[in-house]
Amino acid sequence: MRKNILDRLGKEWIFFDGGTGSILQEKGLQPGELPETWNLLHPEEIIDLHLGYLNAGSHIFNTNTFGANRLKFQDNLDEIVTAAVNLAKEARKRSGREEDAYIALDIGPTGKLLKPMGDLSFDDAVDIFAEVVRIGAREGADLVLIETMNDSYEAKAAVLAAKENCDLPVFITCVFDASGKMLTGGTPESAVAMLEGLGVDALGTNCSLGPEQMIPIVERLVKAAHVPVLVNPNAGLPKSVDGRTVYDVDPEAFAGFMKTIAGLGAVGLGGCCGTTPAHIKKEIEAVTSLPFRAPKAEAHTVISSFSQVVEIGGGAKPVIIGERINPTGKKRFKQALVEHDIDYIVDQGLQQEDAGAHVLDVNVGTPEIDETELLDEVLTRLQSVLALPLQIDTSDPVAMERALRHYNGKALINSVNGKEEVMHSVFPLVKKYGGVIVGLALDEGGIPDTSDGRIAIAKKIYDTAASYGIPKEDVVIDGLCMTISSDPRSALVTLETIRRIRDELGGSSILGVSNISFGLPARELVNSYFFAMALQNGLSCAIINPNNQAMMQAYRSFCALTAQDENFQNFIGAYQNYKTPDKRVSEAVDACRSRVLNALGISAGDLKSSGSPLGGNASFVTSNGGISGNSGGSGAGQNGASGSSGTVTGGASGASSQGGSGNGQGYHSKLMEAIERGMAKPAAAATKDALLTRSALDIINQDLVPALDIVGKGFEKGTLFLPQLLMAADAAKAAFTVVKESMSDTQQESKGKVILATVKGDIHDIGKNIVKVLLENYGYDVIDLGKDVPPETIVETAIQQDVKLVGLSALMTTTVVNMEETIKQLHEKKPDCKIAVGGAVMTQDYADKIGADCYGSDAMATVRYADELCEKGLL
C-alpha cells in the first residue's frame, strides 16, 4: 500500500520529474500549441512522457495541467484535467511503481497580475485555482504542486484554493531571479514566512535559473524554512540552436550541482525546463550517494509584507510599530475615516515609514463606518505604496478574517486575550491564514494587578494556541501598560512581566508604551524613560509614534548602547547634525527674528540702537516653551518655528530657505513626492496647484519625468518593488491627465509608437502589461496587440502603422520559438524595426541568438531602450 507522501518527505530523499514542455516539443508539439490539449489528442505520448521519468526513478511526477484553467480552457477544463490525472494513473500502473510513485496535480500561474497592480481580483484568482483543485482531487491526485509562482499574492491565492478545496498535501515552488527577487519583489525569506503561515507542507523554487545560479537562493530558503525545501532548476540557461531551444547543462553537470544543493539541506529534488529523464537519473545517482540528514530549523518569530521580513525577539533588534493609523484620540484621523479620505490615511503610513517604523499598526474602527470594508481597502492601499509589514488591529472577527485573507504576507494580528470565547474565535483564523498573534495578558477576571497573574494568563494563551497548532513563536504577549497616574506601581508590574516573558517563558513581548503616562503633563518625558526601561527588560515590540523625537532618541540610543546598531549606522544617520536643545532653540529663535525683522524693514543695527525688545530672544518664547515644529528648525524641508499661539508660522511645512512657498520645497517637491509614493489623487491635486504658476511643459520636464526616473532607478537597484513602480506610474498618469486637460488644443508630442504583444501560444501577459504602463507614462503611444498573437499580425501592424519598435513577451519554453519566428519575419518585411524581448525564459544570450535588438531584463529596461532610440531619432 502506498504511504502518504508526507510520511516520507523530510525523512528520505524524494525526487521529482523534469521538464514537460521541452520533452513534448521533442515529441512534436508545435509552436503555440497548448501542451494540455495533448491529454486528449495524443494520450500515449503523455503516458510515455511520464514513463520516462518514472523509469528514471522519480517519486513525484506532474500531471500535464500546468496551464489548465478556465482562462485558457473555458469549455473543456474538466475534460482536460480529468484526462491528465487518468493518464498519470495509467503511466504509474505500467511502470509497476504503484507503491512508491505519487501523482502531483500541477498548477501554474494564471498569467495575470492581481489587483491593484492588474485586473484580476484575489477572490477570482482563488476561484480559478479552486476549479482545477476540485477536479484533480476528485480524479485521484496524491498531492497538489503549485509551481512557477512569480507573485507572492497569486501564490497565496493558489494555496488557499488548494487548502479550501481538498485534503491533499500542498507543495509550492516560486520563481526567483539571480538577485533572489520574485517579479513583484518577494524574497526567499518573505515567501517562506507567508507560505509557512498558510500551512503548506513543502516549499521551494523552480524554473528561471539553472542549478548553479540557484545555490544562493537555496541557502536562503533552507535557512528560513521549517518545512521541507524543494528545488527544481532548469537545465541551465536557454539558447537557440538551429531554431530550437536548448539548455546548456548536461545530465552529468546537472547531477553535480544538485548534489551540492542536496548538501545544503534541500530534500526534494527534480528539474524544470530542459531537464530530461537522463538528467533526473543522474541526479538520483549523485544525491543518493549522500547520507540523508533530516533538516533542522531554529524557531524564530517573523512577520512579513510581500517583500520584507521583520524578526521579533530571539535576539533581534526591538521592533518599532507605528501607532498613527488609529482613530483613538485623533480627531483628524476620525474625520478621514468618515470622509473616506484614504490618501490621508496612507500618508500617515508613509510618514511613519520615513520616521523609522518597522511595522505599521492599522486600526480603522469607528462607529460611523463599515470596518470590514474599510480595513480591507486601507490594507490594500497601504501595501500598494509601501513595503512595511502591517499589524491588523481589530476586535471584529469578520473584519479580521477579511483582512487576513487579502493581506499579502504574514501579518501581525492585534489581538487575542485569555478569555475562552475570544481565543476560540480568533485562533482558528490565525491557524488558517497565518500570522503572529498578540496575546493580551487579561481574561474573564480582568487585568491582574500582579506579574504572577499576567504570566499565568500568558501561559494559558500559549497552551490554547498550541492546541490549534499555533507554535509559541507565533504568539507575542502584551504585558499591558496601565497609567501610573492611577496606580504608581503599575509600571513596575509591567516591567517585571516583560522581563519574565523573556527570561522564564522564552517568549516575545509587546507594549503600547504611551498608555503609561495618560493623565500626566510632559507625557513624552515619562514615555521615553519608561520605553528605555522596558527595552532593558527585554521588550521585543513597541507601539509608539515614530515621529516623536524623544521616543526615537531613546530607541536609537538603546540600540547603540546594546551593540544592536552595527557601526552605529542608524544613530549616526539620524543624529550626525544633532544640536543640543539650547543651541537648537537659540538658532530657531534667531531665524524667526530675522524673518520678522526683514518683513518689517528693520535692521538688527536699528534694534540695537533703539533698545527695542525685538532685539532679544525672550519675546519669541511662548508659554509652552516657545519654539516648536516637527523638526524644530527653519531649513529646507523642516517645519518652521511657531509658538503655541501661532505668533510666527512658516505655513504647513515651514518657510523654505530654498524659496519654497510654505510647503517644504513648494509645489515642485509635493508633486514629485506624490508620484514617487504612488499617490494618484495628491499627484493630480499638486499638478493643478502647480499649473497656477508654471507651464505644463515645465511641469512635465521638471517634475513628472524626473520623478518617474527616480522610481525607475530605485526599481532597477532593487530598493523599490513592482507594486510601488506601478502605483507611481498610476500617480504620474493622474498628473499627466491634469496637464493634458490644461493644454486644451495643444497636444503633447508623442515620443513614438511601440507595439507590444505576447507571442502566439502564450497567454501570460504580466510582463507586457507592466511595460505598457511604463511606456505610456514616458510619453509613448502603445499599440497593445494582447496575448497569443500570431507573428503575421505583429508584422502586418508594424508595416501598416510604420512602427519602429516592437516588444515581445513570452513566459513558457514552448512559446519562445514563436518569438524567434516573429523576429525573423520582422527582419524580412520591416527591417527598420527594432525588437525588444523579455520573459522568464529569456536571457541576454538567448535574445542575441534569436536576433533581438534588446533584452529587457526588467520592465524599465525596455523604457530605457525606447528612450535611446528616441534620442537617436530612430522612432
Side-chain angles (χ1 to χ4, degrees):
M1 180 178 178
R2 189 168 51 250
K3 289 183 179 179
N4 188 302
I5 186 62
L6 297 182
D7 293 331
R8 301 178 63 182
L9 189 66
K11 302 176 180 66
E12 60 180 284
W13 300 118
I14 296 293
F15 297 99
F16 288 73
D17 63 6
T20 295
S22 49
I23 297 293
L24 292 182
Q25 283 179 321
E26 294 292 330
K27 289 178 173 292
L29 181 73
Q30 295 301 301
E33 189 177 5
L34 300 179
E36 296 81 10
T37 61
W38 277 42
N39 296 336
L40 305 178
L41 300 175
H42 306 286
E44 285 298 324
E45 296 291 359
I46 299 301
I47 291 173
D48 188 64
L49 165 73
H50 294 323
L51 283 172
Y53 289 118
L54 287 168
N55 292 335
S58 297
H59 299 108
I60 295 175
F61 65 111
N62 299 344
T63 57
N64 182 31
T65 53
F66 176 81
N69 59 60
R70 70 170 180 237
L71 299 177
K72 191 183 294 186
F73 299 99
Q74 297 180 1
D75 300 323
N76 61 343
L77 177 63
D78 194 301
E79 185 182 15
I80 290 283
V81 177
T82 297
V85 177
N86 287 329
L87 291 173
K89 287 180 180 179
E90 178 61 24
R92 180 169 61 186
K93 180 179 179 181
R94 293 186 192 181
S95 72
R97 296 194 45 209
E98 292 185 274
E99 297 300 315
D100 73 337
Y102 301 84
I103 298 170
L105 177 66
D106 191 13
I107 294 180
T110 62
K112 288 184 169 291
L113 272 176
L114 272 60
K115 293 179 179 179
M117 293 184 290
D119 57 3
L120 181 64
S121 76
F122 180 86
D123 293 326
D124 284 344
V126 174
D127 288 343
I128 288 169
F129 290 125
E131 285 183 291
V132 181
V133 170
R134 287 193 293 267
I135 299 167
R138 182 194 72 201
E139 296 302 319
D142 299 305
L143 66 131
V144 175
L145 175 63
I146 301 161
E147 62 158 315
T148 322
M149 286 290 161
N150 50 30
D151 174 14
S152 61
Y153 206 32
E154 186 175 26
K156 178 172 183 174
V159 171
L160 282 176
K163 302 285 281 185
E164 292 175 345
N165 290 276
C166 74
D167 296 323
L168 301 177
V170 178
F171 299 174
I172 183 168
T173 53
C174 299
V175 177
F176 301 94
D177 64 20
S179 68
K181 296 284 177 62
M182 300 174 73
L183 174 66
T184 51
T187 65
E189 294 78 11
S190 64
V192 167
M194 184 191 74
L195 295 171
E196 287 192 342
L198 290 169
V200 299
D201 298 292
L203 56 82
T205 183
N206 79 295
C207 204
S208 187
L209 302 174
E212 182 178 14
Q213 294 79 22
M214 273 191 182
I215 288 174
I217 295 167
V218 175
E219 290 175 329
R220 293 169 64 179
L221 286 169
V222 170
K223 183 177 179 181
H226 298 80
V227 298
V229 171
L230 318 176
V231 182
N232 296 322
N234 290 347
L237 301 176
K239 295 181 178 180
S240 179
V241 177
D242 298 328
R244 295 172 56 248
T245 301
V246 299
Y247 290 80
D248 62 4
V249 177
D250 63 26
E252 196 73 39
F254 186 84
F257 288 125
M258 295 307 289
K259 186 175 181 179
T260 299
I261 286 174
L264 295 175
V267 299
L269 305 115
C272 199
C273 301
T275 54
T276 65
H279 285 83
I280 301 304
K281 188 173 188 298
K282 286 291 185 181
E283 172 187 72
I284 293 172
E285 291 172 357
V287 172
T288 52
S289 68
L290 296 173
F292 181 83
R293 293 191 301 272
K296 294 181 180 179
E298 294 183 5
H300 52 279
T301 302
V302 294
I303 57 173
S304 71
S305 65
F306 66 91
S307 66
Q308 290 188 12
V309 167
V310 170
E311 185 170 356
I312 297 172
K317 186 165 65 174
V319 174
I320 300 296
I321 302 173
E323 67 180 7
R324 301 300 297 168
I325 304 179
N326 190 315
T328 304
K330 302 180 186 72
K331 183 178 179 180
R332 176 66 185 91
F333 193 88
K334 287 183 179 178
Q335 179 186 354
L337 293 177
V338 173
E339 296 177 354
H340 200 253
D341 187 354
I342 305 298
D343 287 322
Y344 175 85
I345 299 169
V346 171
D347 186 60
Q348 292 296 302
L350 291 167
Q351 288 183 30
Q352 292 179 96
E353 180 183 41
D354 290 344
H358 308 120
V359 181
L360 299 182
D361 180 73
V362 182
N363 184 321
V364 300
T366 190
E368 296 92 338
I369 55 97
D370 182 336
E371 184 178 3
T372 299
E373 291 292 333
L374 189 57
L375 180 60
D376 189 27
E377 182 179 2
V378 169
L379 287 169
T380 299
R381 281 290 305 277
L382 285 169
Q383 288 208 291
S384 69
V385 298
L386 52 78
L388 297 183
L390 304 178
Q391 175 171 264
I392 297 171
D393 188 353
T394 178
S395 59
D396 182 344
V398 176
M400 182 181 290
E401 176 161 21
R402 174 90 165 268
L404 284 171
R405 187 174 186 83
H406 291 164
Y407 179 76
N408 190 359
K410 181 182 180 183
L412 186 59
I413 307 165
N414 194 8
S415 59
V416 73
N417 57 47
K419 296 179 180 179
E420 293 293 332
E421 180 182 1
V422 174
M423 288 191 290
H424 294 304
S425 67
V426 172
F427 282 142
L429 300 179
V430 180
K431 177 61 178 175
K432 178 176 181 178
Y433 296 106
V436 172
I437 182 71
V438 174
L440 307 180
L442 63 89
D443 60 10
E444 289 84 355
I447 301 174
D449 294 330
T450 66
S451 174
D452 285 341
R454 297 182 191 183
I455 292 297
I457 294 174
K459 291 179 179 178
K460 179 169 65 171
I461 292 172
Y462 282 145
D463 291 343
T464 308
S467 72
Y468 282 92
I470 301 168
K472 184 169 72 173
E473 57 263 29
D474 281 345
V475 180
V476 177
I477 300 298
D478 189 335
L480 300 177
C481 276
M482 307 301 293
T483 178
I484 56 174
S485 63
S486 61
D487 179 1
R489 294 189 55 81
S490 63
L492 299 176
V493 173
T494 298
L495 293 172
E496 184 182 1
T497 301
I498 295 300
R499 179 190 60 76
R500 292 178 65 184
I501 291 169
R502 178 193 64 187
D503 297 343
E504 296 179 17
L505 303 184
S508 300
S509 58
I510 186 171
L511 288 176
V513 175
S514 60
N515 293 339
I516 203 72
S517 65
F518 186 77
L520 294 176
R523 293 186 63 187
E524 75 170 19
L525 296 179
V526 178
N527 292 344
S528 61
Y529 278 90
F530 174 73
F531 184 25
M533 295 169 72
L535 291 171
Q536 184 61 28
N537 278 274
L539 181 64
S540 307
C541 307
I543 305 175
I544 66 169
N545 177 7
N547 297 305
N548 184 285
Q549 289 190 34
M551 298 298 280
M552 294 306 290
Q553 286 167 352
Y555 174 76
R556 294 188 180 111
S557 297
F558 174 84
C559 291
L561 290 166
T562 54
Q564 297 185 83
D565 184 357
E566 186 175 358
N567 297 322
F568 306 102
Q569 291 181 356
N570 292 330
F571 187 87
I572 293 172
Y575 304 122
Q576 57 185 332
N577 298 317
Y578 179 79
K579 296 171 183 175
T580 62
D582 289 345
K583 180 71 172 175
R584 187 164 62 246
V585 169
S586 175
E587 290 185 354
V589 170
D590 288 343
C592 281
R593 184 178 69 247
S594 296
R595 288 201 299 274
V596 173
L597 296 181
N598 289 337
L600 296 175
I602 302 173
S603 69
D606 293 338
L607 288 174
K608 288 181 180 178
S609 62
S610 66
S612 167
L614 285 174
N617 289 340
S619 297
F620 286 85
V621 179
T622 61
S623 60
N624 71 343
I627 306 302
S628 66
N630 287 351
S631 299
S634 57
Q638 305 276 339
N639 281 356
S642 62
S644 61
S645 61
T647 306
V648 179
T649 179
S653 296
S656 171
S657 63
Q658 297 182 359
S661 57
N663 295 297
Q665 296 179 25
Y667 295 125
H668 181 75
S669 66
K670 282 185 66 176
L671 177 52
M672 289 188 70
E673 181 183 19
I675 293 172
E676 290 170 34
R677 288 182 158 179
M679 301 181 73
K681 288 182 180 178
T687 304
K688 290 178 181 178
D689 288 341
L691 285 168
L692 297 175
T693 56
R694 299 167 59 201
S695 71
L697 189 61
D698 180 52
I699 293 169
I700 291 171
N701 292 332
Q702 296 185 20
D703 293 61
L704 300 183
V705 173
L708 279 173
D709 281 339
I710 290 171
V711 175
K713 289 175 182 177
F715 176 72
E716 291 168 334
K717 292 177 181 177
T719 56
L720 289 176
F721 306 107
L722 185 61
Q724 289 102 319
L725 180 69
L726 293 182
M727 294 304 292
D730 282 345
K733 186 175 182 180
F736 272 120
T737 299
V738 174
V739 170
K740 288 177 181 178
E741 290 173 353
S742 74
M743 296 171 74
S744 301
D745 296 331
T746 304
Q747 185 68 33
Q748 181 191 355
E749 185 177 352
S750 169
K751 289 182 177 180
K753 292 184 286 188
V754 182
I755 289 174
L756 294 180
T758 300
V759 298
K760 183 179 178 181
D762 203 319
I763 67 162
H764 299 83
D765 59 358
I766 292 176
K768 173 184 66 66
N769 291 340
I770 294 167
V771 173
K772 176 185 177 181
V773 170
L774 296 176
L775 283 169
E776 288 177 337
N777 277 281
Y778 273 81
Y780 295 94
D781 288 334
V782 176
I783 303 168
D784 184 0
L785 297 181
K787 55 198 176 185
D788 191 18
V789 185
E792 295 76 15
T793 302
I794 297 170
V795 174
E796 183 180 340
T797 305
I799 293 172
Q800 289 179 350
Q801 301 200 33
D802 192 25
V803 178
K804 303 294 179 62
L805 176 60
V806 171
L808 302 175
S809 175
L811 176 72
M812 301 185 295
T813 305
T814 54
T815 60
V816 290
V817 289
N818 289 325
M819 182 180 284
E820 184 173 9
E821 175 61 24
T822 303
I823 293 172
K824 179 182 176 182
Q825 291 190 26
L826 282 168
H827 283 167
E828 292 174 354
K829 301 177 182 179
K830 191 77 168 64
D832 64 339
C833 184
K834 300 293 184 181
I835 302 133
V837 298
V841 294
M842 297 302 299
T843 64
Q844 182 66 63
D845 182 64
Y846 200 142
D848 293 340
K849 289 286 180 63
I850 64 177
D853 299 290
C854 169
Y855 163 54
S857 58
D858 58 46
M860 284 304 300
T862 305
V863 176
R864 303 294 186 216
Y865 182 64
D867 280 346
E868 288 178 16
L869 296 179
C870 185
E871 290 172 5
K872 295 175 181 177
L874 299 178
L875 290 186

